[in-house]
Structure formats: C-alpha cells, structure tokens
C-alpha cells in the first residue's frame, strides 16, 4: 500500500456520480500537476462503438497514462478498476483515492444523464454493490472533497477522536516507540498507550517546548531506542516535539518511519505537516535538520481542548497567515490541506513552499532582536502587517483577528538581523508578498523594507 502521492500519480477512483470528473481539475491545480479525466468521451464511445470496444480502449488509455513518468492526477473511469492490469499498475505507480458516494446520492446525480450504465435504477444499484468491494480493495485512502483528497495524498489523516484508534493509523505492524513530553504524556499518554496496544515497546519523554530540539536530547533518545528497521517512532506533541522526534527518526538506523501526531494548533496547521524536521544549535534555530516525510500525520482536533490560550494564539497567527495565502477563510482541516498541497508540490522548499514564510522575514528579525523573548505567533502577526502593507493591501483582517502590538526592541538590532537573512538579491531583500492572483516572491529595496520594519517597533 502506498502511503502518499509524493513522486507517484494520484488516481481518483469511484462509482459514477462520485465526483471524479469534478474534482480532478481542482486537485491537480492545487498540487501544481497536470490532471486528466480518463473517462472523458465515454458516453459517445459506448454509443458509437459499443461497450466491448470502449472497455478495450479504456484499458489501453488508462495503462498508457499510468505508465507516464511525471506524476499526474488522473480520474479513472468507473469500470477501469475491473481490470487486473489496471489494479496492479495502480498499486505500482499511483496513490489511489476512492471518492466515496452512497448509492442514493450517486443515482440522484446521474439519473437524468445520458450515461449508458445509468438508465435503469435497479441495474445501477446492482452494479454499485458489485463494484464497491473492488474500489475498497484498490484504494489507499478514502475521501469526498478536494481538501480530503489532498490530505490523503499527503498521508494526513484528519478525524475527531483519531487518538483512540491510533494503533490502526500507524502503518505496518512492526514495533512502536512512543515519543512525547511530560505535559502531553500527563494528558494524552495513557490514551495513546492503550490505543497503540501490543505494538508499543517503549515510551520516551523529551523536555517540553524548544528544549527538546537539542542534540544531546535526541542522542539520549537514540540510546534508549530498541527498534529495528521495521519499527516506527510515534511522536505526540507540539511542533518542537515533532521536529525533534522526526529528526531522531530520520537518522536512527539511517532512517525509520515516523508518525506525527501534532497536539498544538501550530502543529496541526503547520509544524506537524510536510516532513521538515530540525534541532537548534547555538548559531541559530532549526539550523540542523532533515527532510523526512512522516509515514502518517494524525490530526485530532479534540487534542487541542487542553491547549492553553497563549499556545492557541500562536497557532491562530499561522492559521490567519494561511488564510491570507489562500485568499479565503480556512478552518484547521482546510489550513492543514493548504500546507499539505504546497509541501507535496515542493517537498524540498525550492519554490512555492516558500510562500509559507509570509511575514516571517520580519518575524524572525523581531524575535532575534528580542533575544527570542517574543512569542513566534506575536512576531508573525506583526510580520503579516508589514507584508500586507508592502503588498499594498488592507491590514485590517490581521488587526481584527490578531491585534498585533508594536514591540519594544532595538530597531538597529532588528534591522541587522533581517539583513543577515539569506534570502537576498544584491542589496534588495526577497519577500513573500500577496497579489491579486495569490502569493509571489519579490525583491524590495532596503529603504522600503527598513521603513516597514520600523512601523512594527514601538
Ligand atoms: N517543521 C516545520 O515545518 C515547522 C513549522 C513551524 C514551526 N515549527 C517548530 O515548531 C515549534 C513550535 O511549536 P509549538 O508552537 O507547537 O510549541 P511547542 O512544541 O514548544 O509546545 C508548546 C507547549 O505546549 C505544550 N502542549 C503541547 N500540546 C498540548 C496540549 N494538547 N495541551 C496542553 N499543552 C500542550 C507542550 O508541552 C509545550 O510546553 C518551534 O520549534 C518551530 O521551529 C516547525
Ligand atoms: Zn511560523
């Protein structure tokens, strides 16, 4: 079973009326891939040449498409899956998502169409029951909307109460080491241990917060681990914990799979997703790390109930940042899907993933000038104000949602820190800005950037 659509085709399967044709375009666009509907023209072909000819042509077209080397998004015809060859090609080259639809809804959607297989309700329902087990067996995941397909494609599972069935959500059947911190252990540890059952072989507590992201901490974790390469590290905690445990997994035995279970809002909309792991060194935060995509990310919003208000505000800043990038309101699931799509598009952060740094050049400068005594979310809120102003946009939505207040730091120190930022073209400074068609990266003059920075400082 494929775990995600990184470097693989994304294939949408399902019965007539499930929405494959409708979703293939939007999904492909979000992933920056080409998308094609392999069922296009089916009705006409069946009319003109009959079912047998259509099936032969469908088989040929589907196999040819799946053999293409560049990962695409395909909507398969409802019957393509009846072929053994198609099923084994899907297993080899694609991540397959079943678009689920119940028989009543499917019938309502197609009854008035001219589809040859949707002319008689009894026949239609019989075919639905026949096909259902085939779809189930071929699917790596099940979804019903664009965000659902994208989350599935990234290996992200969003479900209220998911912690209780964490055991089923950890891929494979090898041993599991649980890594968490003392706060999260106290709140969710027992439930997690019960859910992981017999596969759990050890539990490890790292220090809370940023203190987890230290080499000596993961070195101690390595010394405690007893996993072999069939094992999985399950990391349950905030962004600091998942960053540290993810890096531990990336390097242990040259890499073991890991599952990320973010328990903060920052984690659920940002840090827990996308495969970036890191620790801090005295020279700077996140300077040593690895790209190591989690075998699964489990987002259970019920875990956020115990999150202190101060921590929730940090996540709100990243969620509002994501809303600005997407240009529409986003709940936790939709914000997670937005980040997932960008990371699938650009797993190694060479292009559009950099949009996620909206406001962050300013935020990092203010944090450094405050000796990191300024919460990241507050710095991001201020940075968003500056990014909006430089984009010629109204900062009112950020003021209304986050109410950022200017900080008292040394403006010269903040400016020096901002200039040390590597993202530069000559003397100009590259920034993520917002345009009418979405985010883009543009170089701005030092004077303009300095003026924008100064408005954030009291
Ligand atoms: N890898 C990435 O792509 C990425 C992206 C953004 C941020 N990050 C990193 O994430 C870190 C910040 O993460 P964070 O904001 O989640 O903070 P955090 O991980 O420092 O956690 C904050 C505190 O919340 C507590 N906590 C966690 N879950 C809780 C819960 N459900 N109930 C009560 N308390 C809980 C923790 O014990 C900790 O004390 C930074 O180190 C940052 O560099 C990484
Ligand atoms: Zn951030």
């Amino acid at each position: 079973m494929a775990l995600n659509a990184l470097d693989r085709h994304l294939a949408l399967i399902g019965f007539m009326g499930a929405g494959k044709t409708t979703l293939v375009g939007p999904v492909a666009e979000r992933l920056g891939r080409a998308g094609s509907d392999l069922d296009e023209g089916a009705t006409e072909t069946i009319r003109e040449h009959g079912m047998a000819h259509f099936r032969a042509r469908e088989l040929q077209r589907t196999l040819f498409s799946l053999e293409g080397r560049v990962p695409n998004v395909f909507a398969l015809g409802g019957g393509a899956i009846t072929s053994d060859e198609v099923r084994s090609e899907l297993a080899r080259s694609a991540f397959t998502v079943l678009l689920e639809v119940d028989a009543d809804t499917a019938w309502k959607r197609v009854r008035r169409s001219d589809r040859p297989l949707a002319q008689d309700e009894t026949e239609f329902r019989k075919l639905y029951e026949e096909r259902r087990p085939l779809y189930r067996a071929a699917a790596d995941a099940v979804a019903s909307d664009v965000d659902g397909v994208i989350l599935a494609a990234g290996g992200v599972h969003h479900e209220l109460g998911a912690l209780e069935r964490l055991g089923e959500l950890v891929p494979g059947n090898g041993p599991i080491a649980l890594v968490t911190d003392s706060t999260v252990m106290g709140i969710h540890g027992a439930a997690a241990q019960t859910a992981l059952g017999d596969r759990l072989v050890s539990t490890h507590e790292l220090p809370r917060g940023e203190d987890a992201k230290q080499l000596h901490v993961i070195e101690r974790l390595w010394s405690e681990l007893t996993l072999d390469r069939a094992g999985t590290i399950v990391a349950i905690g905030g962004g600091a914990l998942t960053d540290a445990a993810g890096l531990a997994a990336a390097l242990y035995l040259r890499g073991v799979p890991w599952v990320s279970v973010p328990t903060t809002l920052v984690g659920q909309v940002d840090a827990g997703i996308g495969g970036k792991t890191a620790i801090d060194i005295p020279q700077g935060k996140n300077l040593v790390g690895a790209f190591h995509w989690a075998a699964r990310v489990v987002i259970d919003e019920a875990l956020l109930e115990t999150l202190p208000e101060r921590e929730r505000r940090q996540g709100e800043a990243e969620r509002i940042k994501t809303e600005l990038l997407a240009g529409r309101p986003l709940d936790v699931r939709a914000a997670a899907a937005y980040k997932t799509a960008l990371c699938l598009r650009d797993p190694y952060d060479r292009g559009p993933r950099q949009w996620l740094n909206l406001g962050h050049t300013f935020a990092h400068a203010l944090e450094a000038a405050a000796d990191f005594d300024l919460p990241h979310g507050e710095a991001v809120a201020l940075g968003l104000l500056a990014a909006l102003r430089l984009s010629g946009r109204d900062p009112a939505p950020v003021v209304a949602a986050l109410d950022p207040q200017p900080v008292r730091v040394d403006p010269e120190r903040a400016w020096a820190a901002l200039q040390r930022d590597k993202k530069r073209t000559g003397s100009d400074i590259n920034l993520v800005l917002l345009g009418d068609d979405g985010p883009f990266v543009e170089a701005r003059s030092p004077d303009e950037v300095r003026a924008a920075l100064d408005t954030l400082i009291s």
Side-chain angles (χ1 to χ4, degrees), residues 384-385 388-389 393-400:
L384 293 176
L385 281 185
L388 284 174
R389 288 181 188 133
R393 304 218 145 202
D394 183 5
V398 171
V399 174

Side-chain angles (χ1 to χ4, degrees), residues 400-421:
L402 303 169
D403 190 26
Q405 297 301 321
V407 280
R408 195 173 297 251
V409 294
D410 176 0
E412 297 306 327
R413 268 192 77 191
W415 178 236
L418 193 149
Q419 287 179 303
R420 272 197 305 274
D421 224 79

